[in-house]
Amino acid sequence: DAKTTQPPSMDCAEGRAANLPCNHSTISGNEYVYWYRQIHSQGPQYIIHGLKNNETNEMASLIITEDRKSSTLILPHATLRDTAVYYCIVRVAGGGSNYKLTFGKGTLLTVNP
Amino acid sequence: GAVVSQHPSRVICKSGTSVKIECRSLDFQATTMFWYRQFPKKSLMLMATSNEGSKATYEQGVEKDKFLINHASLTLSTLTVTSAHPEDSSFYICSALPVASNEKLFFGSGTQLSVL
């Protein structure tokens, strides 16, 4: 799976949009971009994933650049409960034993009142 | 949404004893479950992949005789830390992949193991 690069930490004001960048310049054509987050002392939580089109769900939006070498996770209205470590993961599609997630260091997002 | 229940959430044991951690998918079936370990302020490290009805696949450097994994049903996988030592103290997290979907991995809430 391709390597990803994320800033180690970011701050965001409560109520504002949080934009978390991820660089994956070596991504292959069949690799998806996944985002998970981990709130302190809990298991990770799935947020969103995409291949090349922008995606939106009830939690967030995912913007993938046209060359697919980077992406941005957007939390439109950050709340204090969004404070967590956010992981950007690139992986090949497929289930079963092939669904291995390799976690990097992620970005610690701190939402401030 | 799908729920993965992990039990216990916290356990303290004496060195040399064995500890069993259970991971259950409550409202879906999972042929594949994964076990991760996380040290303080570090990222999650995949320990092993558990497939229902077959032997687990361990990542390089993980001792299969020390970390016994059993996946006897489509909703339950267990991790047993045998002859635990203080260096085994860590946060253990399980995850389950629904049979019906390959898109999302659902995680348990983790087990904090402290070996005295």
Side-chain angles (χ1 to χ4, degrees), chain B residues 9-23:
Chain B
S9 58
R10 182 179 296 272
V11 58
I12 302 172
C13 70
K14 293 182 179 179
S15 185
T17 61
S18 294
V19 174
K20 179 184 284 189
I21 302 170
E22 290 189 349
C23 180

Side-chain angles (χ1 to χ4, degrees), chain B residues 25-45:
Chain B
S25 55
L26 296 187
D27 49 4
F28 65 94
Q29 293 184 327
T31 52
T32 304
M33 291 187 177
F34 301 91
W35 287 93
Y36 290 83
R37 180 166 59 181
Q38 185 175 34
F39 291 107
K41 296 186 179 181
K42 299 293 185 180
S43 191
L44 288 81
M45 295 293 294

Side-chain angles (χ1 to χ4, degrees), chain A residues 34 36 38 41-46 49 58 87 91 94-106, chain B residues 31-32 34 36 38 42-46 49 51 57 59 91 93 97 102-110:
Chain A
Y34 280 76
Y36 282 76
Q38 184 180 24
S41 297
Q42 296 183 24
Q45 176 189 25
Y46 166 87
H49 76 282
E58 65 278 5
Y87 297 99
R91 62 171 293 271
S97 301
N98 293 320
Y99 200 116
K100 286 188 179 182
L101 290 181
T102 301
F103 288 84
K105 296 181 179 180
Chain B
T31 52
T32 304
F34 301 91
Y36 290 83
Q38 185 175 34
K42 299 293 185 180
S43 191
L44 288 81
M45 295 293 294
L46 180 64
T49 301
N51 290 298
T57 303
E59 295 299 303
F91 191 54
I93 309 169
L97 185 65
N102 292 327
E103 293 190 336
K104 305 177 186 179
L105 195 59
F106 295 93
F107 287 80
S109 54

Side-chain angles (χ1 to χ4, degrees), chain A residues 1-74:
Chain A
D1 295 334
K3 178 181 172 60
T4 62
T5 303
Q6 299 178 252
S9 64
M10 293 182 65
D11 285 290
C12 176
E14 187 179 19
R16 304 298 292 268
N19 298 284
L20 292 91
C22 179
N23 182 286
H24 32 79
S25 58
T26 61
I27 192 170
S28 300
N30 62 346
E31 290 183 310
Y32 286 73
V33 180
Y34 280 76
W35 284 83
Y36 282 76
R37 73 178 182 184
Q38 184 180 24
I39 296 171
H40 183 62
S41 297
Q42 296 183 24
Q45 176 189 25
Y46 166 87
I47 301 174
I48 198 167
H49 76 282
L51 182 62
K52 55 182 179 180
N53 296 321
N54 297 337
E55 302 287 344
T56 296
N57 62 19
E58 65 278 5
M59 289 184 69
S61 294
L62 174 60
I63 308 298
I64 303 174
T65 58
E66 192 168 343
D67 63 7
R68 300 187 68 238
K69 293 184 176 182
S70 65
S71 61
T72 301
L73 177 73
I74 301 173

Side-chain angles (χ1 to χ4, degrees), chain B residues 3 15-16 21 23 35 42 52 63-64 79 90-91 99 115:
Chain B
V3 177
S15 185
I21 302 170
C23 180
W35 287 93
K42 299 293 185 180
E52 187 265 337
E63 300 176 57
K64 62 179 182 179
L79 168 68
S90 185
F91 191 54
V99 171
V115 185

